Amino acid sequence: MKNVTRRTVVLFAFILLCAGATAHSAGVDMKEGEWEVSTETTMKMGEMSMPSRTNKVTKCLTREDLVPKTEKDKECKIVKQKVTGNKVSWRMECKKAEGEGEITYRGTAYNGFFKMKTVEEGQTMTMDMKLAGKYLGPCPKSKK
């Protein structure tokens, strides 16, 4: 009897975990499609700071791909991603860098940050990015 109860509890826990994993990002209040991604980046190496730089690009975002990435990120991989309500947090690792970020979706907009640290030739460089996203419409067929 104890064995049957234990199996039932384990099976029930497994079903809950699977259901949570599939519904996990489905609950995010974000509209899938093409987004304008704006960044304001500041960099610091040792005591030297560089002026902030702004950039805008468009990206197709889906509930399966909630973290906007750049072409430079191809050499990096997301090693941890967590979705809590409308908040998406992640940790990224690259060959010579690591970083973490967080964005909060609100339907057709989001705000957040990304912080990255790089060590090259004994020098440590930090990069802080303010992130903002705005939904533009459906993804063009060429970007799907």
Side-chain angles (χ1 to χ4, degrees), residues 22-140:
T22 56
H24 177 74
S25 62
V28 174
D29 180 21
M30 70 87 73
K31 191 157 177 119
E32 294 183 308
E34 186 169 32
W35 286 69
E36 177 183 80
V37 178
S38 302
T39 58
E40 182 182 343
T41 307
T42 56
M43 292 194 288
K44 187 174 181 181
M45 183 179 280
E47 297 299 314
M48 186 174 77
S49 294
M50 297 178 193
S52 65
R53 187 176 64 181
T54 58
N55 187 37
K56 285 185 183 180
V57 297
T58 57
K59 296 282 178 194
C60 285
L61 298 177
T62 66
R63 284 185 173 77
E64 289 77 37
D65 193 20
L66 293 166
V67 178
K69 299 174 200 73
T70 66
E71 290 298 310
K72 294 176 187 176
D73 294 337
K74 284 184 178 179
E75 295 179 10
C76 303
K77 64 180 178 178
I78 294 175
V79 293
K80 181 180 178 183
Q81 181 173 313
K82 181 179 176 185
V83 178
T84 307
N86 291 325
K87 189 181 292 184
V88 180
S89 57
W90 68 95
R91 178 156 179 67
M92 182 181 282
E93 290 182 357
C94 312
K95 283 184 179 182
K96 297 180 181 181
E98 60 183 28
E100 58 189 31
E102 180 180 285
I103 51 181
T104 302
Y105 282 94
R106 285 178 304 288
T108 59
Y110 73 73
N111 286 300
F113 69 88
F114 181 69
K115 296 177 182 279
M116 186 166 231
K117 179 179 164 183
T118 306
V119 178
E120 239 181 281
E121 298 177 18
Q123 294 286 336
T124 300
M125 181 178 75
T126 58
M127 177 177 72
D128 293 328
M129 298 173 81
K130 291 180 187 174
L131 305 172
K134 178 173 70 171
Y135 176 77
L136 299 175
C139 288

